[in-house]
Amino acid sequence: MMDDRIIDLRSDTVTKPSAEMRRAMAEAEVGDDVFLEDPTVNRLQARAAQIFGREAALFVPSGTMGNLTCLLAHTRPGQEVICEQKSHIYNMEMASMSAVGGVLPRPIAAEDGIMTWEQVSRAIRPKVYSRAQTALVCVENTHNLAGGSVYPSELLYEICDRAHEAGLLVHLDGSRIFNAATYLGEDVAGITKKFDSVQFCLSKGLGAPVGSMVVGSRAFIERCRSIRKMVGGGMRQAGVLAAPGLIALEKGPQRLHIDHENAKILAEGLAKTPCIGLNPAKVQTNIVIFDIRETGLSASDFLAELARRKVLGVPVDSDKVRMVTHLDVGRSDVDYAVAVVQEMVGSFSRRPAGTLAS
Ligand code: TLP
């Protein structure tokens, strides 16, 4: 990379809408979506439902709102929700499950974020009058903070079937479900068919500027529409946002394999760097998480040094850094990012311990 550009690997949410998307936004046919009269939103919802093989879909402003809407539709205050310990819904959605939904999360730790039915079943509350009752299981696929890991579909089927037998509902935080589908070589309809609800993001790897979709049965989506209004997500001429969403939905999935290849190259390059801890074999999709403890720096100091060199990532905790590949970073950017990390870590090891350049 010769120019002054910043290589932004903080998230796949940072992508900018393409010229085609901006044109579609300018030209979108719109109406008042709270009256169900926005033709572009209606088209997006119909297309999402079709792709997922479901009766209906609902456009929501964010993944967070999509997850909360489903959670509110499936539970009532005082119940419990089983989720993975590092899941986004538990860690990064402002505790909305408890603060808004009045439900108690029951987090369970699973290797690589991939829960088994055995682990889930052990967390189900017994039917004792003094115990909060388990209502819902939330699954995240791909699993963000576990490094973009992917559930084998058979495991998802087992969790859904057995949860249903136990009288529980199952929600999928499928923010990056198209990344999972790309990795598996399967379609999203098949992967998600047994879930009671699915939320997926248009604004991550698919490249739309805004928005997520909730898909499910017609009755479920009608209920979600009221809940979306309750939480302030009833948008009006939202067709200007649905228009790039339609392009993201059609074109985004076709190029995700490029992001996965770039993530693999990034991971392999970083793994060769002294003091960086990472197993590239575990990188399945577009998220790379690595340990920087041995550099002697905290994640925030490491990232500040990196930012001075125009490469951006985010901290996962004090020892770990996350980088995410997406449509606005190419192979040469990834090569550059690896070279920068190698140069930077090399320069630390030549300096007296505990000192940084001012
Ligand atoms: N993830 C964002 C940040 O919040 C960390 C990111 O950069 O990865 N579920 C999952 C699995 C997510 O990764 C995210 C966003 C959400 C839900 C929430 O989506 P938004 O940001 O649209 O509310």
Side-chain angles (χ1 to χ4, degrees), residues 10-14 61-67 87-89 92-93 140-145 173-176 199 201-204 210-212 287 314 322 324:
R10 287 173 302 167
S11 181
D12 46 9
T13 59
V14 302
S62 67
T64 301
M65 190 185 284
N67 283 340
S87 61
H88 196 279
I89 203 166
M92 302 184 87
E93 297 183 13
E140 185 174 317
N141 190 24
T142 68
H143 192 305
N144 182 351
L145 293 183
D173 176 351
S175 291
R176 297 185 177 83
Q199 177 279 120
C201 291
L202 298 164
S203 64
K204 298 204 165 58
V210 176
S212 276
I287 299 179
V314 290
R322 184 188 79 161
V324 184

Side-chain angles (χ1 to χ4, degrees), residues 110-241:
E111 197 182 339
D112 297 325
I114 305 296
M115 301 185 292
T116 61
W117 169 252
E118 225 272 297
Q119 291 168 321
V120 172
S121 64
R122 271 190 269 121
I124 299 172
R125 292 293 192 191
K127 297 226 176 303
V128 174
Y129 80 96
S130 56
R131 299 291 191 103
Q133 290 298 291
T134 312
L136 180 68
V137 181
C138 283
V139 175
E140 185 174 317
N141 190 24
T142 68
H143 192 305
N144 182 351
L145 293 183
S149 53
V150 178
Y151 274 84
S153 298
E154 289 304 324
L155 183 50
L156 295 178
Y157 300 157
E158 187 191 7
I159 291 174
C160 291
D161 285 342
R162 304 291 297 274
H164 290 151
E165 282 161 27
L168 309 179
L169 297 167
V170 195
H171 168 67
L172 176 65
D173 176 351
S175 291
R176 297 185 177 83
I177 194 62
F178 285 94
N179 295 85
T182 300
Y183 174 76
L184 294 170
E186 297 174 19
D187 62 45
V188 291
I191 296 172
T192 63
K193 65 184 180 191
K194 290 182 185 263
F195 285 92
D196 298 285
S197 55
V198 180
Q199 177 279 120
F200 73 93
C201 291
L202 298 164
S203 64
K204 298 204 165 58
L206 305 188
V210 176
S212 276
M213 307 300 297
V214 171
V215 297
S217 69
R218 199 172 310 283
F220 176 77
I221 293 299
E222 280 321 305
R223 191 155 152 56
C224 285
R225 189 187 305 284
S226 308
I227 294 169
R228 181 187 68 175
K229 190 79 179 92
M230 184 173 74
V231 294
M235 298 180 284
R236 300 294 179 172
Q237 285 70 34
V240 292
L241 300 176

Side-chain angles (χ1 to χ4, degrees), residues 34-356:
V34 173
F35 291 113
L36 309 177
E37 284 171 5
D38 188 297
T40 312
V41 171
N42 291 340
R43 250 190 324 127
L44 173 63
Q45 291 175 164
R47 185 68 182 125
Q50 185 186 40
I51 289 171
F52 281 76
R54 299 295 181 120
E55 286 175 358
L58 186 70
F59 186 42
V60 290
S62 67
T64 301
M65 190 185 284
N67 283 340
L68 177 61
T69 300
C70 292
L71 187 122
L72 291 173
H74 288 315
T75 63
R76 49 173 206 278
Q79 293 185 317
E80 270 193 7
V81 172
I82 296 172
C83 52
E84 206 278 325
Q85 187 172 269
K86 289 187 183 157
S87 61
H88 196 279
I89 203 166
Y90 178 55
N91 290 284
M92 302 184 87
E93 297 183 13
M94 302 300 297
S96 61
M97 181 186 305
S98 307
V100 184
V103 297
L104 198 60
R106 184 78 195 276
I108 59 177
E111 197 182 339
D112 297 325
I114 305 296
M115 301 185 292
T116 61
W117 169 252
E118 225 272 297
Q119 291 168 321
V120 172
S121 64
R122 271 190 269 121
I124 299 172
R125 292 293 192 191
K127 297 226 176 303
V128 174
Y129 80 96
S130 56
R131 299 291 191 103
Q133 290 298 291
T134 312
L136 180 68
V137 181
C138 283
V139 175
E140 185 174 317
N141 190 24
T142 68
H143 192 305
N144 182 351
L145 293 183
S149 53
V150 178
Y151 274 84
S153 298
E154 289 304 324
L155 183 50
L156 295 178
Y157 300 157
E158 187 191 7
I159 291 174
C160 291
D161 285 342
R162 304 291 297 274
H164 290 151
E165 282 161 27
L168 309 179
L169 297 167
V170 195
H171 168 67
L172 176 65
D173 176 351
S175 291
R176 297 185 177 83
I177 194 62
F178 285 94
N179 295 85
T182 300
Y183 174 76
L184 294 170
E186 297 174 19
D187 62 45
V188 291
I191 296 172
T192 63
K193 65 184 180 191
K194 290 182 185 263
F195 285 92
D196 298 285
S197 55
V198 180
Q199 177 279 120
F200 73 93
C201 291
L202 298 164
S203 64
K204 298 204 165 58
L206 305 188
V210 176
S212 276
M213 307 300 297
V214 171
V215 297
S217 69
R218 199 172 310 283
F220 176 77
I221 293 299
E222 280 321 305
R223 191 155 152 56
C224 285
R225 189 187 305 284
S226 308
I227 294 169
R228 181 187 68 175
K229 190 79 179 92
M230 184 173 74
V231 294
M235 298 180 284
R236 300 294 179 172
Q237 285 70 34
V240 292
L241 300 176
L246 269 162
I247 295 169
L249 193 53
E250 298 304 340
K251 298 201 167 161
Q254 294 168 23
R255 54 155 310 286
L256 290 177
H257 64 281
I258 301 170
D259 297 344
H260 297 184
E261 284 155 25
N262 284 334
K264 206 47 152 190
I265 289 161
L266 178 65
E268 281 162 0
L270 291 172
K272 286 192 196 116
T273 310
C275 305
I276 300 282
L278 161 68
N279 179 0
K282 290 223 163 177
V283 174
Q284 297 177 317
T285 57
N286 67 331
I287 299 179
V288 180
I289 294 179
F290 53 98
D291 198 305
I292 49 90
R293 200 173 351 181
E294 284 187 22
T295 64
L297 298 183
S298 67
S300 55
D301 284 345
F302 181 94
L303 286 164
E305 280 291 304
L306 206 55
R308 285 155 51 97
R309 294 159 169 87
K310 301 197 183 314
V311 175
L312 307 182
V314 290
V316 171
D317 57 33
S318 60
D319 296 328
K320 290 201 185 69
V321 164
R322 184 188 79 161
M323 290 183 174
V324 184
T325 55
H326 53 77
L327 61 87
D328 286 346
V329 293
R331 168 72 200 260
S332 60
D333 297 322
V334 163
D335 289 340
Y336 179 80
V338 169
V340 162
V341 172
Q342 288 177 345
E343 173 276 314
M344 188 179 103
V345 172
S347 75
F348 297 153
S349 54
R350 288 192 294 279
R351 249 181 244 146
T355 64
L356 281 178

